[in-house]
Amino acid sequence: MSFNYSRIIIKIGSNVITRADGLPDAERITHLVNQIAEIKKQGIEVILVSSGAVASGRSLISVSEKSDAVAVRQLLASIGQVKLINTYSHLFGKFSILCSQVLVTKEDFRDRLHYLNMRNCLEILLQHQVIPVINENDVVSVTELMFTDNDELAGLIASMLNAQALIVLTNVDGIYTGDPKLESSSIIKEVNDAGIDFASFVSSGRSQFGRGGMITKSTIAHKVAKLGIAVHIANGTKENILTDVLANKVIHTRFTPTKKTSGKKKWLAHSENAATGVVQVNEGAKTVLISSKASSLLPVGIISIVSDFKKGEIIKIVDEHNKTIGLGLAEYGSDKARELTGQKNQKALVHYDYLYLQG
Ligand SMILES: Nc1ncnc2c1ncn2[C@@H]1O[C@H](COP(=O)(O)OP(=O)(O)O)[C@@H](O)[C@H]1O
Ligand SMILES: N[C@@H](CCC(=O)OP(=O)(O)O)C(=O)O
């Protein structure tokens, strides 16, 4: 049985695009573009999240090893992104397909208006049959402003565009039960909502040119699947991998999508870093909020306003043990919330439509 998706995000990792010597693998990129063109011909909308700017830069310039690592990354990415996008543009052009360059930073996902502007841009590209090729803007994203890696970025894009699936291509067949190099390890074919402790068997090690490693892939995949989007982690170095994944013909790891979530909640799900305020709730409120019943956060269940916020800002909701249980959009500021804390029959601080609860 093949998967019937109409909109997919494909993430191509550094290790898929890069040869062992650190230079871009032109043959592989060509093969992937050929498959994407084939998928597009079937009427499936495709958004590409592609790493490879740094690797492409490496093929164009040599830099002294003594130079500052952050500056070198900026230099390589700045030069390399031009080559990367030119490669895609040339290869897609052979199929008369237009692609576009979209470079983003973590900041672009913070503010809802900015987020919606970005979404509108991607939607109009898709409406015009263009394949957006997205990468982090490595030239301005440094240290704490960076995404953990492009897996995190791909997860955000999948949520933003209500995609049905996210396909993450890496250099192993999927998530293994242990070190992929050991014979005793096997591929986990299906992950469902039951919740697996990935950290217990996925090592934090990364492959040569990767940034986040398999741990970020697992965490992001789990989060995205819980928002109702299927996630496939597969080996991008294998022949016909994309068409085979969609035809369900190849062994890989698939995270089963669970409940459907609204666009607003999907945005909130990825907004922890943008939260300004923190609100602590009691056990009763926690139970009601995480139950299957749709409930808003009312002042009666609030114990304290831990840090300040203004109306319309994102707040983190924590339980009595300071564990984060969700994120929401404040209907009013922290001054008013403090006045109402513990009181019955008051206006909700977070309306259910603007409340995302981590499960
Ligand atoms: N349990 C595991 N299953 C699969 N891969 C693992 C596991 N533990 C660690 N890894 C490592 O994660 C690497 C893939 O992540 P990463 O280096 O970030 O790649 P990419 O560039 O594709 O994002 C694999 O090459 C593998 O060495
Ligand atoms: N933006 C960088 C890639 C960063 C990155 O996180 O890569 P990956 O390990 O593939 O998720 C580049 O284009 O070189």
Side-chain angles (χ1 to χ4, degrees), residues 11-16 50-56 73 77 81 84 135-138 146-153 169 206-207 209-213 217:
K11 186 258 171 170
I12 307 183
S14 300
N15 287 298
V16 175
S50 177
S51 304
V54 174
S56 299
R73 213 179 141 266
Q81 180 64 30
L84 182 69
N135 195 0
E136 179 166 14
N137 190 345
D138 298 300
M146 274 157 76
F147 293 105
T148 313
D149 60 14
N150 269 352
D151 298 320
E152 185 186 5
L153 170 58
L169 296 183
R206 283 162 278 134
S207 42
F209 301 107
R211 196 151 96 197
K217 280 189 223 315

Side-chain angles (χ1 to χ4, degrees), residues 54 61 63-64 66-79 138-139 141-143:
V54 174
I61 195 169
V63 190
S64 153
K66 288 189 215 116
S67 314
D68 172 65
V70 175
V72 168
R73 213 179 141 266
Q74 288 173 301
L75 167 73
L76 295 178
S78 185
I79 303 167
D138 298 300
V139 175
S141 305
V142 284
T143 54

Side-chain angles (χ1 to χ4, degrees), residues 7 10-11 23 101 108 147 156 159 176 181 195 235 246 253 258 291:
R7 178 176 285 188
I10 298 171
K11 186 258 171 170
L23 301 181
Q101 171 176 264
D108 296 327
F147 293 105
L156 282 162
S159 306
Y176 285 79
K181 288 189 199 80
N235 194 336
L246 292 176
T253 303
T258 48
S291 71

